[in-house]
Each structure stands twice: as structure tokens, then as C-alpha cells.
Amino acid sequence: MYDFIVVGLGVAGWSLLQVLEENHQNFVVFDNNSQQSTRIAGGMYNPVILKRFTPAWQAHQMLPYALLQFKKAELDFDKQYIFELDIYRKLTGVEEQNNWIVASDKPVLKSYMKEISFDPVPGIKADFGFGILQGTGIVNVTQLLNDVSIKFKNTGKLYTETFDYEALKIYDQYVQYKDIKAKKIVFAEGFGIKNNPFFKDLPLMGTKGEMLIIETDIEIPHIIKSNVFIAPNVAKKGQYYVGATYNWQDKTNEPTIEAREHLVEKLKQLLQVPFNIVLQKAGIRPTVKDRRPLVGKHPVYKNLAVLNGMGTRGVILAPTMAKQLFQHLTFDLPLMKEVDIKRFL
Ligand SMILES: Cc1cc2nc3c(=O)[nH]c(=O)nc-3n(C[C@H](O)[C@H](O)[C@H](O)COP(=O)(O)OP(=O)(O)OC[C@H]3O[C@@H](n4cnc5c(N)ncnc54)[C@H](O)[C@@H]3O)c2cc1C
């Protein structure tokens, strides 16, 4: 009998598998590549909301544990996944300069928000300078998931197939899926939760996001944030991620012409040099009505649990949420009440 079945191998599923391995648990994982959120995400970690200069919920508290978990993966695979990069927030005027200075003196924010810089950044015009954020960067989650998938495929733990919910039999002490028995099952399907009869009624909305990958001749050494992000593609020199869009209606993973035109228009306002579009990607962020993760046990079937709702900040949130869920399921430790699905039951 396995300890766990996990459904979904995005950053949420991976974070749980990492905790399960650390705690010597036996598991199998299912993934069918139906959702793309983690695989197409830029993988940025940034604990500051750059529109309003406020701290993102719990991000400062959760970031160190997230970086620790990604660091352990680097050691496991002998590869670099974490790339520390400053974010240069282009300031739009004197008022924003003042707001930056005021915010950068506040607790939490002052660990990240540094001085205003007027040093030139290649290809970017910024009359009012840039507010510099430090302690930020990119995790190459796409590469990490590729490596993790190969590892678990080779060890027979990853089933690359659609989990068929109707085939799940639930007993008091365990669950059975076809010929696999496990003490518990955790669902981490991102927006795929909509097909899950046990958890589909949770208020996960889903927000489609699209990104471009572009090439340009100049070298931009930082992440630039204005009305779009430009972030170095850490997997390929000379390429940059540009994004992202927010669409609350369309729930498909298909790239659209509208999003492409929108991003190109914004990018042309920011980048003063020619560029080529290499790729366009789309995915659905698992966003929740109250903007908090969805974690916890099924109200009736105690050996079924959910790990979802990482929204726009999966890189920072997922590792801590996975740890809390494991401790909740194994030692009955309480979950943070803001993330516990009990709030919607
Ligand atoms: C354009 C864009 C940019 C983003 N940028 C960032 C960023 O810079 N930083 C950041 O922290 N976050 C970012 N995000 C958000 C981040 O991607 C999400 O918070 C995170 O990926 C959610 O991870 P997840 O594992 O919950 O879901 P997913 O990554 O969607 O993973 C769910 C997995 O479950 C699988 N699955 C679903 N149903 C089934 C089934 N029935 N059977 C088998 N497998 C199944 C899917 O195939 C998928 O692999 C971005 C998102 C988008 C769309």
C-alpha cells in the first residue's frame, strides 16, 4: 500500500512530492499535461505588489522556505534552478517616486525596495528612473518539472495519464484506484479541479494568462516592470519573457491574437529597440475568489485532500502550502485558517 497518490505535477504537486520524499513516504503521481500554468509561467518570485507598493500576502514569510526547497532540488539534480535577479520598476512620475520612497521605508518592504536609480538600462527609456527591488528573481520551474518528470518516470512513480475520478474507490482507511491502494490521495490539478467531482464546487475562478518569448540584440540584465514585465529567459541567452495578460472569461490554454497584439503594443511603449517574437504561451492561473490558496481535507472523505489555488504566486506559496498540508494530514496540525477550505464549506 502506498502512503499517497498525488494527482497533478505542477509546482503544487511537485512541492508536495518534495515533502513526501523528505518524510520517506511512498507515493505515485498522475499527470496528463492538460494544464500548463506552471510550465509556461515565468517563474518569478517577488514579494511586493508592484502596482500599489504593498507586501503580497505572506510572501515575505514564505519565500525563504520556497527558496530552500528549490535549492534542495538544485542539489538533487546538480542544476541551477534559482536565478537571483533585481527587478527594475519603471517609475511614471514624481508622485510614484514619492510613493516609492515612502513605501521603501516600511517594515517588510524595506527588505526588498531599494534606491531609485537613474542609471541607463539598455533599450529602455525611463525619465523618472527605476525603483530597484532586490531579493527577487526567477525559478526555472519548467526545467525543474521536466527533470522531476524524467526522474519519477524512470522510477515508475509517474503515470502520464488522465486520472479517472470515477475509478476511485474510497474506504475508511484507504483509497483504491484501479490496482493502486494508498492511505491518502491529494488533488493538485490547478484549473483541472473543475473536472474533479470531490472539489469542483470550491470557488476557484481561473485567470488565463498569456506570455511572449522575444529575441532582441541588446542585453537586459534585470527584470523590468512597467505596464508589462520583461524578464530574461534564464534557459536561453538573448531571449526574454514578456507578459502577462489577465483574462477572466476565456478558460482555454490556446494562445490568442488579441493577447499577442496587446502585449506587443505595451512592449513597443517600453522597449526602444527591434525585437522578434519567438513563441507565445497561454495557461490558466488557479485563482480563487478570496485570493488565498485552497488547502485541506474533504468534508466527508477524510483521506481525500486538495492542494490548489496558488493564484499568481505559485513559486512562493506552493512549498509552504504543501508542507502545511502534509503536517495536517499526518500529524493533525491545524492549517492556517485563511487557506483552509473549511472557510467555504
Ligand atoms: C502567464 C502566467 C504567468 C505566471 N507567472 C508566474 C510567476 O512569474 N511567478 C509565479 O509564482 N507564478 C506565476 N504564475 C502562476 C503560477 O503559474 C501558478 O500559481 C502555478 O503554476 C499553479 O500551480 P499548480 O501546480 O497548482 O497548477 P498547474 O501548474 O496547472 O498544474 C496542475 C497539473 O495537474 C495536471 N492535471 C490536471 N487534471 C488532471 C487529471 N485529471 N489527471 C492528471 N493530471 C491532471 C495538469 O496537467 C497540470 O500538470 C503564472 C501563471 C501564468 C498563466
Side-chain angles (χ1 to χ4, degrees):
M1 163 121 55
Y2 289 98
D3 296 306
F4 283 86
I5 297 172
V6 178
V7 181
L9 186 49
V11 71
W14 168 78
S15 300
L16 183 63
L17 299 187
Q18 179 92 337
V19 176
L20 296 181
E21 280 198 311
E22 284 168 10
N23 287 277
H24 311 290
Q25 303 286 297
N26 289 323
F27 57 82
V28 287
V29 55
F30 287 81
D31 196 282
N32 64 355
N33 288 317
S34 58
Q35 293 299 324
Q36 298 298 321
S37 189
T38 303
R39 285 182 179 274
I40 68 123
M44 234 177 292
Y45 59 92
N46 160 32
V48 180
I49 297 172
L50 286 175
K51 217 181 224 172
R52 302 191 293 273
F53 306 151
T54 50
W57 178 79
Q58 286 286 324
H60 174 62
Q61 292 81 349
M62 293 185 184
L63 179 59
Y65 181 67
L67 291 177
L68 174 71
Q69 294 301 80
F70 291 117
K71 187 77 211 171
K72 285 187 199 157
E74 288 188 340
L75 296 174
D76 267 4
F77 289 102
D78 195 18
K79 258 190 204 169
Q80 183 179 4
Y81 299 120
I82 306 170
F83 296 81
E84 288 172 27
L85 287 167
D86 294 349
I87 300 178
Y88 277 44
R89 165 61 157 82
K90 182 174 160 174
L91 300 171
T92 54
V94 176
E95 194 183 342
E96 273 209 336
Q97 288 176 333
N98 289 336
N99 292 346
W100 183 274
I101 291 164
V102 172
S104 62
D105 208 25
K106 292 189 176 160
V108 176
L109 294 174
K110 70 175 167 203
S111 349
Y112 305 96
M113 295 176 73
K114 304 299 171 187
E115 73 280 2
I116 292 175
S117 164
F118 290 92
D119 290 347
V121 172
I124 314 279
K125 193 163 170 282
D127 294 338
F128 296 93
F130 298 94
I132 299 183
L133 272 131
Q134 289 177 347
T136 51
I138 288 176
V139 177
N140 190 349
V141 277
T142 313
Q143 185 61 51
L144 173 60
L145 286 192
N146 289 344
D147 294 341
V148 167
S149 299
I150 292 168
K151 172 181 156 182
F152 289 140
K153 196 88 196 164
N154 289 341
T155 49
K157 292 182 172 185
L158 170 62
Y159 292 77
T160 313
E161 61 188 59
T162 299
F163 185 86
D164 172 9
Y165 302 96
E166 287 186 5
L168 183 69
K169 297 196 176 96
I170 305 167
Y171 303 98
D172 274 357
Q173 301 300 323
Y174 67 97
V175 295
Q176 180 157 3
Y177 181 69
K178 300 180 179 172
D179 56 352
I180 299 170
K181 285 184 183 171
K183 291 179 195 155
K184 294 182 168 59
I185 181 163
V186 176
F187 295 102
E189 312 106 316
F191 190 67
I193 196 175
K194 292 289 168 200
N195 299 319
N196 181 330
F198 306 104
F199 292 107
K200 69 176 170 28
D201 293 332
L202 290 170
L204 189 132
M205 325 305 276
T207 310
K208 181 170 180 175
E210 301 197 41
M211 314 261 279
L212 301 176
I213 296 188
I214 62 152
E215 265 172 354
T216 175
D217 286 341
I218 53 155
E219 195 179 332
I220 307 170
H222 324 287
I223 299 169
I224 308 292
K225 166 70 177 147
S226 179
N227 44 13
V228 280
F229 271 107
I230 304 178
N233 178 359
V234 293
K236 186 125 197 232
K237 209 168 161 25
Q239 288 192 354
Y240 298 86
Y241 275 86
V242 175
T245 58
Y246 292 81
N247 183 324
W248 289 269
Q249 272 77 46
D250 180 0
K251 307 293 185 192
T252 69
N253 282 316
E254 303 309 316
T256 62
I257 294 169
E258 295 76 35
R260 185 188 178 99
E261 285 174 350
H262 173 82
L263 290 172
V264 167
E265 187 194 320
K266 301 274 179 215
L267 182 61
K268 281 185 174 161
Q269 292 165 13
L270 180 61
L271 189 62
Q272 313 288 305
V273 292
F275 58 88
N276 294 323
I277 299 172
V278 180
L279 202 63
Q280 182 178 356
K281 305 186 197 189
I284 317 259
R285 303 173 184 89
T287 49
V288 182
K289 200 170 78 175
D290 67 357
R291 299 174 181 207
R292 299 291 174 260
L294 294 170
V295 187
K297 285 182 209 166
H298 190 275
V300 178
Y301 308 115
K302 300 300 174 196
N303 39 14
L304 269 58
V306 65
L307 179 64
N308 210 319
M310 303 304 151
T312 58
R313 281 190 162 75
V315 168
I316 294 181
L317 297 178
T320 299
M321 292 298 96
K323 180 174 75 171
Q324 283 199 9
L325 179 62
F326 175 73
Q327 293 177 342
H328 180 61
L329 294 176
T330 312
F331 304 111
D332 212 18
L333 292 190
L335 293 165
M336 292 170 82
K337 64 176 185 341
E338 295 98 319
V339 307
D340 194 330
I341 55 168
K342 275 189 190 148
R343 70 194 190 280
F344 295 118
L345 300 176

